[in-house]
Amino acid sequence: MGEMIGMIKLCLVGLFILVVAGSTQAAADGHNSGVDERRLAGAPNLPVPLTLLTSAVDKGAVCIDGSPPAYHLDPGFDAGKNRWIVNLEGGGWCDSVRGCLYRKASRLGSSNLMDKHMYFAGIMSSSPVDNPDFYSWNRVMIRYCDGASFAGEGYDAGNGLYFRGQRIFDAAIQHLLSIGMASADQVLLTGTSAGALAVMLHCDQFSGFFAGAGRGTTVKCLADAGLFLDAVDVSGGRTLRSYYGGVIATHGVAQNLPKSCTARLDATSCFFPQNIIGSINTPIFLLNAAYDTWQIRESLAPDTADHSGAWRACKSNRSGCDAAQITFLQAFRGQMVATVQGFSGSKTNGLFINSCFIHGQSENRATWHADASPAIQNKDIGKSVGDWYFGRAEVKAIDCPYPCDNTCHHDI
């Protein structure tokens, strides 16, 4: 009897392994497996495994430490099998050898230190409830490990630092094209923060990969929290301009900036979106908070400019801002609104600037398309982006000044 029970247990274990293996293989092949049925039933998003792009190493497309670039791919299913979202991960920049050495020892500079799985949310979600327009698409997150918005080209032999962001972008997109994206019907390049800046820098190049394919692929771009302004800080200086100058010099970015900009302006100016968005030919959607908290902390009132610490409370929580500080922030909002005036004149472009204190809203379930998500004129971000992408409506939404919007999710 004991032997029989043992054999039954072995059979059950074997059957379980076969079921799991079959389900995993089906998901990898993009089939509508049991996993996809769970998604359609509203199950939580599942972890998406990391894939190392080892073939890119021979092309010199490597992270700061020389490790291979990487991505996460959640295959599309049903109506989304031939549709792709390519997301360029964000994560700041390094503007000096010292800063890049620090980054080299983190997930932002080495694929050896990246999490082996990632959970997708917001525009990357596989839930039809959370992400009704894009949930079934092939969704790819290209990991960020170069420190210059996928735009650098250089090598520091003395410190063993590889500045190969442009090569990473090229190699990753070519790889995705080779595994099915070349036959896509619809494609969206997206990114948040430094990834959003990368989207603006590479939007037309990305579109060019599909030119002449004969399929009439719809290609558009979405930049979330990437409208970094060349703004004056609280001490009268330009902290972010100085920082960007270091990024460009350290990584050799100048050669990869849009020629339409560098023909008339210096390289540092051409790393600022306000000087390049007007010449992007591919349809693009700008999503940004008018009171971007990263820019408040690191560009407008960084510790190096806030010598007395007067902005410390305001930077931590909007309720800590006094009247003069709010006036200063309203002027920053005014600069942002003025920056997009010409951009918004194009019928193919989209715009959503809300009066929230936050940085990044497209990759978060609560701020993308939930019951209490931020909205302008009763339309939330997910619905706005979907309406723009599919041509259901023109979207040029600019919120009234703070504190009029009670739908915001503010950073604290």
Side-chain angles (χ1 to χ4, degrees):
M1 178 67 70
E3 292 180 357
M4 182 176 295
I5 292 174
M7 290 180 65
I8 291 173
K9 287 182 177 179
L10 286 172
C11 290
L12 289 173
V13 170
L15 178 61
F16 174 79
I17 292 172
L18 286 172
V19 169
V20 171
S23 176
T24 301
Q25 184 60 48
D29 292 341
H31 298 154
N32 188 12
S33 65
V35 170
D36 295 329
E37 290 171 2
R38 285 181 56 198
R39 288 173 180 157
L40 292 170
N45 289 297
L46 301 169
V48 183
L50 182 75
T51 298
L52 296 178
L53 188 54
T54 54
S55 61
V57 175
D58 290 340
K59 303 173 184 177
V62 293
C63 299
I64 292 176
D65 71 336
S67 60
Y71 66 91
H72 301 259
L73 166 61
D74 198 6
F77 54 95
D78 293 345
K81 283 186 177 180
N82 289 324
R83 300 173 181 177
W84 291 69
I85 288 180
V86 178
N87 193 318
L88 303 179
E89 186 183 24
W93 310 269
C94 57
D95 69 332
S96 64
V97 167
R98 180 180 179 183
C100 293
L101 283 171
Y102 180 82
R103 181 173 284 248
K104 175 182 177 180
S106 75
R107 65 174 180 82
L108 291 171
S110 173
S111 60
N112 295 326
L113 301 174
M114 294 175 182
D115 291 337
K116 303 308 178 187
H117 293 84
M118 176 179 281
Y119 285 89
F120 287 171
I123 193 172
M124 300 294 285
S125 172
S126 60
S127 164
V129 174
D130 296 342
N131 189 28
D133 280 320
F134 305 104
Y135 74 94
S136 65
W137 289 30
N138 296 277
R139 285 155 289 107
V140 186
M141 175 68 75
I142 299 178
R143 299 302 297 268
Y144 184 39
C145 65
D146 70 276
S149 289
F150 295 89
E153 177 55 56
Y155 174 57
D156 183 336
N159 292 288
L161 298 173
Y162 294 84
F163 305 122
R164 301 288 176 77
Q166 181 66 53
R167 296 195 199 191
I168 291 174
F169 177 81
D170 292 339
I173 301 304
Q174 291 286 4
H175 172 72
L176 296 175
L177 290 168
S178 73
I179 63 172
M181 192 169 70
S183 62
D185 298 320
Q186 296 174 321
V187 183
L188 177 63
L189 179 68
T190 185
T192 298
S193 193
L197 175 55
V199 167
M200 289 181 270
L201 292 171
H202 295 298
C203 183
D204 282 341
Q205 181 192 355
F206 180 74
S207 180
F209 283 109
F210 299 90
R215 292 185 59 86
T217 306
T218 298
V219 183
K220 298 186 179 183
C221 302
L222 165 65
D224 174 18
L227 199 53
F228 299 100
L229 299 182
D230 188 3
V232 176
D233 62 39
V234 295
S235 69
R238 291 185 181 271
T239 297
L240 191 54
R241 168 168 278 274
S242 176
Y243 185 70
Y244 275 0
V247 174
I248 288 166
T250 301
H251 292 260
V253 170
Q255 61 190 296
N256 294 320
L257 295 172
K259 300 298 185 290
S260 58
C261 182
T262 54
R264 56 189 176 85
L265 296 173
D266 62 274
T268 300
S269 295
C270 295
F271 207 58
F272 281 100
Q274 65 202 69
N275 297 318
I276 60 177
I277 56 175
S279 59
I280 297 174
N281 296 314
T282 306
I284 184 169
F285 191 106
L286 300 184
L287 164 62
N288 229 94
Y291 310 95
D292 186 295
T293 49
W294 187 93
Q295 293 189 67
I296 293 173
R297 292 192 307 266
E298 305 297 336
S299 176
L300 298 183
D303 291 343
T304 54
D306 179 28
H307 306 300
S308 66
W311 278 80
R312 195 168 298 139
C314 181
K315 288 190 293 184
S316 299
N317 190 335
R318 72 198 181 282
S319 63
C321 302
D322 61 30
Q325 290 167 334
I326 290 295
T327 298
F328 185 89
L329 295 177
Q330 298 293 23
F332 175 74
R333 173 191 176 273
Q335 182 182 351
M336 184 176 292
V337 171
T339 293
V340 300
Q341 285 304 313
F343 168 90
S344 65
S346 169
K347 290 187 176 181
T348 64
N349 292 334
L351 190 66
F352 190 105
I353 296 182
N354 55 359
S355 291
C356 305
F357 285 75
I358 195 170
H359 180 68
Q361 301 177 89
S362 67
E363 296 175 32
N364 186 318
R365 179 182 181 274
T367 52
W368 176 246
H369 183 68
D371 290 340
S373 288
I376 299 178
Q377 296 180 348
N378 298 318
K379 185 185 292 189
D380 66 29
I381 295 169
K383 181 69 163 59
S384 298
V385 172
D387 283 354
W388 163 78
Y389 186 91
F390 294 103
R392 296 189 296 245
E394 187 172 301
V395 181
K396 304 288 173 59
I398 299 179
D399 215 350
C400 50
Y402 174 83
C404 70
D405 190 339
N406 60 8
T407 69
C408 287
H409 289 240
H410 299 294
D411 284 342
I412 297 177

